[in-house]
Each structure stands twice: as C-alpha cells, then as structure tokens.
Amino acid sequence: MSTILLTGASGRLGTHMRRWFAQKGRTVLATDIRPAEDGGPIEIVDLSDRPAVDRLMARDISGVVHLGGMAKEAGWQTVLDANIIGSYNIFESARKAGVKRVVYASTYHVIGMYPTPGDTPLDLDAPYRPDSLYAVSKAFGETLGRLYFDKFGIECLAVRICTAGDPGTPREARLWINRDDLATLIETGLDQPDLGHRIVYGISNNPLKMMVNEPDPGLDWTPAHGSGELGKPDPLAPLDQTDPRNRLLGGAFSTWGHQDDKSDL
C-alpha cells in the first residue's frame, strides 16, 4: 500500500494530521526531529540530512505532506538548515524517488508587511512582502515548488497557513484556520486530480477575514468552519491601532528586528 510521508509529525498540526489520517485509514510514515509527546510512532530524522531524507522517500511514498521545519522566526542559520535546506531536500529527494505530489506548509507571513486589511482583504495576486526570515524561507519553498512542477512535473499545493491555534484577539479571530478545515485542505492537495502548482490561503470562513482565495485557485475545497462559531474573541471587534501588532498583517512578526542581533531578541 502506498504511503504518505508526513514531516513535522510531532508538532501541533502534525499531531492533528497523524490522528486525522489514522481515522481515514491512510498509511502514514511520520517523521520529525523530536519524538511525539503523545507517544505516537515517529521516525527521528533531521530534514537537513539529505541521505536520511532519501531513505524515507524510498519507502513507497505516494505523496508528501511537508509540515516540518522551523515554524517561527529564528536566526539565519536555523532558518537556513530547517526550512531552506530541509525543503530543498524534500523536493529533490521526491524528484529522485519519482514521488509526484507535495503539499507544502507555507504561511500568511509571506505577505506580512502589508498594512492590516480593512474591508478589502488581500487576494492571491498580492506580491510577496515577507515579515521575517521565516517568511522568506516559506516564499522560497513556494517558488521551489513552482520550479519542481514546471521542470520536473511534481504537483504541489502550497498552503499559506493562518492562525491555527485558539485565537486570543480579534485580529487572530479574523485570521483563524480551524484544524479540521486545514486537514480537509491538505487531503484535497493529496487527492485532487490535475493539481498542478497552486497556492491557497489556509483560512476558515471568518467574519472580516484578512485574505481571500481569489483569483479562484480551482480547488475542490470549502472551509466548513469560521471564527464566528467560537463566541470570543469577536472578529468584528475593532482592532486597537495603538498596538503595533495590529498595524501590519504579520502582527508581532512585523515588529521584530533581526534575530541574529542579540539586542533585538
């Protein structure tokens, strides 16, 4: 039976996806740089170790869900190893092994330096304006996926994941992605025929959501949830413009200095 390679499988989203795939009866090879807190089966692999990634990819892999890497801002060397070299190794190892589909975890932070939208959300045509080295690494992964589709036929869905935890502010409520919505989006990326290379915002159907999936990426996916169902925080509440985290789309990421400057940490 063919197998899904799931990277970052010990993290919060990776743990959710492991459980989701198990409920769906899908065979998963789960990997991470650290063990899972829930004791689930995890193969310990550093994605910057190319031979180790090659060994994973050789195990009858039908598709990759690439959640692995650094999921927040960090110093340059950490971002380079975890997100840039790690993502390159995933795509190149897939090419060598004949694996033809990757679902890539990107982030809305690739457009994080735009002013916070009001009534007009950003769409998929907005040019990159990354708010961090982390975001730069994710933009790299999106364009790497484009290259590997155009040149080598590896289909790729790049999901710009929004706030996947419990929202604590009206801003986060506008950016929320329900984890089951994210899971169905990832499955769409694995299963949709003629996927090609597509980018999509991983965001639920929230009031005053800050980005929209227009122009239509042509995916057979509609979010089933929205932050209005949570009760609080209220996504319709005005954002406090005296808080610098509310001025730009990337929130706190847009306010930080360079992480290699100790004075900025």
Side-chain angles (χ1 to χ4, degrees), residues 24-163:
K24 299 292 184 177
R26 304 186 77 146
T27 303
V28 172
L29 173 56
T31 184
D32 205 304
I33 201 169
R34 58 185 175 85
E37 291 184 1
D38 65 0
I42 301 290
E43 299 233 4
I44 305 301
V45 170
D46 185 337
L47 298 181
S48 68
D49 181 348
R50 175 61 188 283
V53 176
D54 286 346
R55 289 191 290 271
L56 290 173
M57 205 71 70
R59 291 164 62 174
D60 192 26
I61 302 300
S62 60
V64 181
V65 177
H66 181 35
L67 303 180
M70 177 58 64
K72 58 184 180 181
E73 182 64 318
W76 169 243
Q77 193 63 52
T78 298
V79 171
L80 175 65
D81 291 341
N83 290 7
I84 293 181
I85 294 175
S87 292
Y88 175 77
N89 285 344
I90 287 291
F91 278 96
E92 179 61 6
S93 183
R95 182 181 77 89
K96 292 285 191 178
V99 177
K100 290 298 186 180
R101 188 160 296 202
V102 175
V103 178
Y104 173 73
S106 186
T107 176
Y108 78 96
H109 289 286
V110 298
I111 54 168
M113 292 304 289
Y114 281 95
T116 299
D119 296 332
T120 305
L122 290 173
D123 63 25
L124 289 169
D125 284 340
Y128 290 116
R129 289 184 68 176
D131 58 24
S132 52
L133 293 174
Y134 161 71
V136 167
S137 75
K138 292 300 185 177
F140 168 84
E142 289 186 7
T143 57
L144 188 69
R146 179 83 252 183
L147 170 70
Y148 271 73
F149 172 64
D150 287 341
K151 272 199 169 183
F152 308 117
I154 296 177
E155 296 184 287
C156 178
L157 178 64
V159 181
R160 292 177 174 175
I161 300 172
C162 295
T163 300

Side-chain angles (χ1 to χ4, degrees), residues 4 17-26 28 187 190:
I4 299 163
M17 290 310 304
R18 277 191 290 114
R19 294 169 179 171
W20 179 274
F21 286 140
Q23 291 172 357
K24 299 292 184 177
R26 304 186 77 146
V28 172
E187 282 207 302
L190 289 171

Side-chain angles (χ1 to χ4, degrees), residues 212-226:
V212 291
N213 284 312
E214 298 171 1
D216 182 3
L219 290 171
D220 187 18
W221 175 77
T222 301
H225 299 274

